[in-house]
Amino acid sequence: MALSRASIRRLTSLRPSNLRACTSFLQPRLIRPSVVSWVPQRLTHSDITQQLREEWSSYNHFPQASSANQFVDGQTVTVHGFLSQRRIASKKLIFANIQVDNGPSIQIVSHSEPSDESNPPPGHEAHLALKALPLHSPVAVTGTVVSQKGDLDSSASSSKQVPGTFPKGVTHLEISLQNIQPLNAFPKDIIVSKGVQFPPSARHLQIRFDEALQARLRARPKIGYELRKSLTELNFTEVETPILFKSTPEGAREFLVPTRRAGLAYALPQSPQQYKQILMSSGIRGYYQFARCFRDEDLRADRQPEFTQLDLEMSFATGQDVMRTVESIMKDLMKSLNSQFELVQSNTNDRYPIPRRTPPSSDPKDKPWPVSDEPFPRITYEEAMSRFGVDKPDTRIPFEITPNVPLPSSFTSMISPLPSPTIDTFLFSPTNSPSIRDTTTFIHTFLSTLPPALFSSNPHGQPAALIVDTSKPLMGLSPLSHSGFETITSLYPSLTTGDVLFLQARPSSAPFTGGSTPLGQIRTLLYTSAITSGFLPPSSAFHFLWVQNFPMFTPTPTTKSNTADPGQGGQAGFSATHHPFTAPLTDTDVDLLVTDPLAARADHYDLVLNGVELGGGSRRIHTARMQEYVFREILKMTDKGVGQFAHLLEALRAGCPPHAGFALGFDRLCAVLTGTDSVRDVIAFPKSMKGEDLTVKSPGKITGEELGTYHLAFRPKEKKE
C-alpha cells in the first residue's frame, strides 16, 4: 500500500515534531517515557473521528510478509520490522536498517532523482516517507532483493513458505526500496541511546533496545527445547500438574489463593514434589515438566517469588541413576549450544549468546560450553564445607581453604574470643604482581566493605589478613610467632611478596551446618572483588560439580523471624534439610534417625555450576510406614500436620516403587549459560527485590468488595502499650 502525498501531509500535520529527518546513525541516551506522546489541536468530535478512521485504516491494512522461498535476487519481497537506523547520504540517497526478530540484518537502499517535480518517478514518495518517518516505528517495507550474504542453504529455504520467514543461512539482506508503510509511529519523547537503561515500568522498551537482553530471551526457549528433546528421547513422559494446590508444611512459605467458599483457600505449589511422587505410584516410569513454582521467601539476584524449574522423577531408580540422567541431558545441551551459538562480548564486558554464522572450528576456544565424556566431579557436603566453606562451591576460584591449621594461642587469642578455636586459612595470590602498597590498599578496602556478619558482628572473631613481604622479618607474618610461621610455610612453601594469608576462627567441636562458613563467604567475595579490581583474570569456564550426602536435618534457628522458612512445623527442634520426603543415605543413617537424627545423612544431591546451585534432588522415602515414622517420630509433627499429607501416604501405601528425582532451576541455568549473574536478565517481566512487577504495578491493593467476596478481613492493629 503506497503512501500518497496526502497521507504524508496527514502524518506531518498530526505529528510534526516526530518527522524531522535523522542525518546520522542513532547514538542511543537515557529517557523518561510519558503516557501521552502527542496532543491534537482542538477539533470537533467528527473531525477527530475522521482522523482516527483514516489513521487506523493506514495502519491496519498492510501487505503480507514474504516467505523464505521468495528471497531471490531481483525478486520483489515484503518484510516487517522496526525502522532502527537511517543515514541520509544525500537528498537523493538514503540508507536505513530494518530490525526484525530472529532474522538477518536488513539494509534498505532508497535512491530517487526526480527530474520533474510534477511527475515524480515511481518510488519517490516512498523515498520521502522513509526520510520523514520517526525512527523505531513499525513498518512494512516492499522492495527488490539486491543481494544476500551468508551461507545460503537453498534446499532448506525453498521448502519454507511461511510468511515472515527468511532463507536459512542468510545473515544480511540488501533491498532496494519500492514502498514503505508505517504501521504506527514512535513518539518523540522517548529518547533512545546506546546502553540505555529504561525504568522497570518501561520493560517493553528495555527488551526492544537491549541487545543482550533480547539475545538471552531468544536463547532461553532454545535451551528449553534441547532439554525437552533429550528427555523425550529417554522415554520420559511430560505431565502437567495443577497450579492450584493446597497448603502443606513442605518447608517454604506459600502463597495462598482465597476462594469464594468461606474458610477455604488454595495454595500455589512450592514445587510439584507431591504430585510427581504420586505419579510414581501411578505407573509413570519417567516424568518431567517445566513447572511454575511459587515461594514467598526473601528475594535476591538469583531468586524470584515465581520461577520455572525443570522437574523430573524416575521410578525403580536410585539417586545415582538420576544423577547420570541429569549429566546426560546437560552434556547434550552443551553440545547443542556449541553448535547453535557463540558467546560475544559487548563494550561493557557483557557476554551473551548470538546465533552462529559459521560452524564451530576444532579450536576449544570456539566452543565456550565445555563437553566432556568424563562424569561430573562429586564431593560430599562435608568436603565442600571443609575445602571451600560453602555447599555450592565455585571451583574456578584458584585458592582453597586449609582447615584445622594448628597455630599458637598467642595468635588465636588475638583474632577470636573462643577458648580453643579451630583456625581455617587460605592463601590469595594476585596474578598481576601488584606492589605491596596496591595490595595493601585493595585488602583494606575489601575488608572495610564486608558485611558486619562477616566482620565486626561475627561472634567467633574477625578475619585476619596478613600480607607477605619477604623483605620483613618472618616475611611479614610475625604476628604468628616462629612456630606459627613454620606451620604456614610448611603449608604454603612458595610464599612470595604480595601474597595474602586469610585466617578465620570457628568453634572446634561444632559440625558444619547451613550453607556456608564466614571464611567461605569471604573467599567467594574476595574472588569477585579481585576480578573487578584486576588482581585476578576473569574466567569464562563452566565448572560442573555434584555435592552430595547432605545432613538429613538442619537445626531450627533459636531466634524466629518473619523471613525464616517455617519448616515442617514439628516440635523436634530441627527440620528437613531438603524436604521431609528425602530418604536416609544408608542403613546406618536409618539407625541414626533414632539415636542422633542431626548426624543422619540424606541421599540428597545438588548440581552446582560456577558457584550457582542449579538444582537439587534426592532419593525419596517410598514406603508409607517409613514416611509416617519420619513425620511423627522424628520431626514430631502433629496429627493435623501429618493429615495434610494423607494423599501422599495413601499413594505410597498402594505399592509405590522406589523412586528418585531432581529439580533443575531453569531460570538460573539460563542465566549462567548466557553470561549473567541475575535471573532477571533471562525473564521477560521479572519481579523486583520487593516481589513487585513494576511494569503492571502488581500486587494491587485489595478492595472492600473483594474482601467481602472472599470472606476476608484485615486484622485490627494492635494497640501499643
Side-chain angles (χ1 to χ4, degrees):
M1 175 179 170
L3 273 180
S4 64
R5 287 180 177 271
S7 298
I8 296 174
R9 283 196 298 271
R10 183 167 63 252
L11 283 172
T12 305
S13 66
L14 286 174
R15 296 179 180 80
S17 55
N18 280 350
L19 299 176
R20 65 179 185 274
C22 177
T23 57
S24 64
F25 280 113
L26 175 71
Q27 292 298 323
R29 287 181 299 151
L30 187 59
I31 66 97
R32 186 175 64 188
S34 65
V35 176
V36 180
S37 61
W38 62 281
V39 179
Q41 298 177 350
R42 292 184 178 277
L43 301 170
T44 65
H45 177 73
S46 60
D47 289 337
I48 295 175
T49 302
Q50 180 62 25
Q51 286 188 3
L52 287 175
R53 278 204 199 110
E54 292 177 358
E55 181 185 60
W56 175 253
S57 178
S58 68
Y59 290 162
N60 193 43
H61 303 287
F62 54 92
Q64 178 176 277
S66 299
S67 56
N69 63 311
Q70 295 175 309
F71 285 85
V72 179
D73 289 359
Q75 179 83 15
T76 299
V77 295
T78 297
V79 296
H80 298 159
F82 294 97
L83 182 62
S84 62
Q85 293 179 341
R86 176 175 52 209
R87 180 168 62 90
I88 301 177
S90 67
K91 184 177 180 181
K92 303 173 183 178
L93 182 63
I94 302 175
F95 299 94
N97 288 4
I98 303 299
Q99 176 188 337
V100 297
D101 187 36
N102 282 323
S105 61
I106 300 176
Q107 177 174 273
I108 303 300
V109 180
S110 178
H111 183 274
S112 180
E113 189 173 357
S115 56
D116 184 358
E117 290 291 341
S118 61
N119 186 26
H124 181 61
E125 291 185 356
H127 183 83
L128 296 178
L130 176 62
K131 183 177 181 180
L133 284 174
L135 285 177
H136 316 304
S137 297
V139 293
V141 174
T142 300
T144 304
V145 177
V146 176
S147 64
Q148 305 179 63
K149 294 181 181 179
D151 186 15
L152 178 60
D153 185 347
S154 58
S155 61
S157 63
S158 62
S159 63
K160 293 288 186 181
Q161 299 184 13
V162 180
T165 57
F166 295 92
K168 185 177 180 180
V170 171
T171 58
H172 179 78
L173 281 170
E174 183 172 316
I175 297 175
S176 177
L177 181 66
Q178 295 178 1
N179 180 59
I180 183 168
Q181 178 186 349
L183 306 179
N184 205 336
F186 194 79
K188 72 166 187 176
D189 56 319
I190 300 179
I191 302 172
V192 185
S193 61
K194 189 174 184 179
V196 62
Q197 289 297 317
F198 293 96
S201 58
R203 182 68 172 179
H204 59 293
L205 294 175
Q206 191 67 46
I207 293 173
R208 193 200 291 190
F209 295 108
D210 188 331
E211 185 177 347
L213 178 57
Q214 274 195 14
R216 294 188 178 107
L217 291 178
R218 290 192 183 110
R220 177 181 172 120
K222 301 284 188 183
I223 294 172
Y225 170 80
E226 294 300 332
L227 292 171
R228 179 178 271 112
K229 177 183 174 184
S230 294
L231 287 169
T232 301
E233 290 175 350
L234 292 172
N235 292 322
F236 278 70
T237 302
E238 184 171 10
V239 181
E240 291 185 357
T241 55
I243 291 295
L244 294 176
F245 186 43
K246 74 170 187 176
S247 179
T248 60
E250 199 170 308
R253 293 187 182 276
E254 300 163 318
F255 288 101
L256 292 180
V257 182
T259 71
R260 289 176 293 165
R261 299 169 64 189
L264 296 179
Y266 296 104
L268 300 180
Q270 303 172 35
S271 77
Q273 180 62 44
Q274 297 175 59
Y275 279 120
K276 67 180 180 180
Q277 288 193 245
I278 294 173
L279 284 172
M280 296 301 97
S281 189
S282 305
I284 302 292
R285 187 68 180 259
Y287 140 92
Y288 83 94
Q289 71 167 315
F290 284 86
R292 296 292 288 168
C293 305
F294 308 85
R295 295 178 188 174
D296 188 7
E297 56 189 2
D298 292 342
L299 305 182
R300 52 181 188 246
D302 64 345
R303 183 180 287 176
Q304 289 274 290
E306 56 176 321
F307 57 94
T308 302
Q309 70 181 32
L310 174 55
D311 203 49
L312 63 90
E313 197 81 5
M314 299 166 58
S315 63
F316 300 96
T318 65
Q320 299 299 314
D321 296 324
V322 172
M323 294 166 75
R324 283 191 291 268
T325 299
V326 172
E327 285 191 24
S328 173
I329 65 174
M330 292 306 300
K331 290 176 180 179
D332 287 346
L333 173 62
M334 304 300 263
K335 292 176 183 177
S336 175
L337 290 177
N338 281 326
S339 66
Q340 295 184 59
F341 294 96
E342 57 184 309
L343 280 175
V344 298
Q345 190 162 316
S346 67
N347 295 331
T348 58
N349 293 324
D350 197 12
R351 298 172 72 240
Y352 57 90
I354 62 171
R356 279 195 178 276
R357 297 190 174 185
T358 58
S361 66
S362 58
D363 186 351
K365 294 181 180 179
D366 201 26
K367 298 178 180 178
W369 293 277
V371 180
S372 172
D373 293 331
E374 296 297 319
F376 294 164
R378 301 184 183 189
I379 62 174
T380 65
Y381 168 81
E382 285 290 324
E383 185 181 355
M385 295 295 285
S386 177
R387 290 174 55 191
F388 308 105
V390 64
D391 64 358
K392 47 183 178 183
D394 186 347
T395 53
R396 297 174 303 170
I397 300 177
F399 43 90
E400 293 185 12
I401 293 173
T402 303
N404 307 321
V405 178
L407 293 174
S409 59
S410 60
F411 173 75
T412 61
S413 62
M414 289 191 294
I415 67 171
S416 175
L418 299 174
S420 299
T422 289
I423 304 298
D424 297 336
T425 70
F426 69 75
L427 186 68
F428 167 62
S429 300
T431 57
N432 62 344
S433 301
S435 66
I436 285 288
R437 181 176 181 179
D438 289 343
T439 300
T440 302
T441 300
F442 168 68
I443 294 299
H444 284 174
T445 302
F446 170 73
L447 292 175
S448 67
T449 57
L450 285 176
L454 300 180
F455 196 70
S456 57
S457 300
N458 184 350
H460 303 150
Q462 297 181 6
L466 304 179
I467 301 176
V468 176
D469 186 346
T470 55
S471 66
K472 292 183 177 181
L474 298 183
M475 302 175 70
L477 305 180
S478 54
L480 300 176
S481 76
H482 285 277
S483 61
F485 174 74
E486 291 177 359
T487 300
I488 292 300
T489 51
S490 65
L491 289 174
Y492 307 109
S494 301
L495 290 177
T496 185
T497 296
D499 289 349
V500 185
L501 180 68
F502 278 80
L503 307 99
Q504 176 70 62
R506 62 180 173 87
S508 57
S509 58
F512 289 117
T513 60
S516 63
T517 66
L519 190 62
Q521 295 181 58
I522 290 172
R523 171 181 174 270
T524 302
L525 293 172
L526 178 65
Y527 177 64
T528 303
S529 296
I531 291 175
T532 303
S533 303
F535 284 79
L536 287 177
S539 172
S540 59
F542 291 98
H543 288 193
F544 285 96
L545 176 71
W546 285 109
V547 180
Q548 54 189 1
N549 304 356
F550 284 80
M552 194 164 178
F553 303 105
T554 300
T556 303
T558 54
T559 56
K560 288 285 185 180
S561 70
N562 291 331
T563 59
D565 287 339
Q568 287 75 52
Q571 303 301 314
F574 50 79
S575 60
T577 302
H578 189 211
H579 53 55
F581 321 115
T582 302
L585 181 63
T586 65
D587 290 345
T588 300
D589 295 295
V590 174
D591 295 337
L592 286 171
L593 292 180
V594 178
T595 60
D596 189 1
L598 289 178
R601 296 167 302 162
D603 195 349
H604 166 193
Y605 35 85
D606 283 353
L607 181 61
V608 179
L609 175 59
N610 293 357
V612 176
E613 179 192 332
L614 291 183
S618 65
R619 182 168 54 86
R620 324 300 188 186
I621 298 172
H622 74 283
T623 65
R625 289 184 63 188
M626 175 60 82
Q627 184 64 80
E628 187 168 358
Y629 177 78
V630 170
F631 285 157
R632 292 188 185 278
E633 305 302 327
I634 307 303
L635 292 171
K636 306 296 183 185
M637 293 172 60
T638 63
D639 289 344
K640 180 181 178 182
V642 175
Q644 290 177 295
F645 295 107
H647 54 278
L648 178 61
L649 293 172
E650 187 62 26
L652 299 180
R653 191 178 71 86
C656 185
H659 56 280
F662 189 78
L664 181 70
F666 186 62
D667 305 311
R668 292 182 185 178
L669 174 67
C670 291
V672 175
L673 294 182
T674 60
T676 178
D677 296 327
S678 176
V679 296
R680 293 180 178 86
D681 294 333
V682 294
I683 299 174
F685 301 101
K687 299 292 191 292
S688 71
M689 294 296 289
K690 294 182 178 180
E692 299 171 337
D693 185 334
L694 298 176
T695 303
V696 299
K697 308 296 187 294
S698 71
K701 291 185 177 181
I702 304 175
T703 66
E705 182 180 356
E706 290 169 335
L707 288 172
T709 299
Y710 296 104
H711 309 283
L712 301 175
F714 291 117
R715 176 185 297 171
K717 292 184 178 179
E718 296 181 2
K719 294 182 179 179
K720 294 183 179 180
E721 300 257 342

